[in-house]
Amino acid sequence: DVCSSDLAGQELRAALRAVVAGAARHGLIAGIYAGNEHLAIGYRDMGFQMIPVGSDMGFMKAASARVLDTLGR
């Protein structure tokens, strides 16, 4: 699958490498959004330099779930 979110797709990896290389050619940093820390590590390893991870809503949801678990729901 070209749009695999686990970076397993060869076409996706090639396209991402082209983005990083193109940015470098023009003296720019390459940035990409990562939905989780595992994707962020993969993107970093590919050469991306600006990688926002997660979202406000995701962080709030995770924190709320932890509170509810602690309180025994």
Side-chain angles (χ1 to χ4, degrees), residues 60-73:
M60 290 172 51
K61 183 178 175 184
S64 297
R66 281 193 306 275
V67 168
L68 291 173
D69 285 344
T70 299
L71 295 175
R73 293 195 184 238

Side-chain angles (χ1 to χ4, degrees), residues 29-69:
I29 63 168
I32 190 168
Y33 170 79
N36 61 56
E37 64 274 18
H38 304 291
L39 284 173
I41 291 168
Y43 294 146
R44 179 198 61 200
D45 292 349
M46 293 181 80
F48 285 91
Q49 296 169 287
M50 185 176 75
I51 310 165
V53 180
S55 66
D56 292 349
M57 183 61 73
F59 293 134
M60 290 172 51
K61 183 178 175 184
S64 297
R66 281 193 306 275
V67 168
L68 291 173
D69 285 344

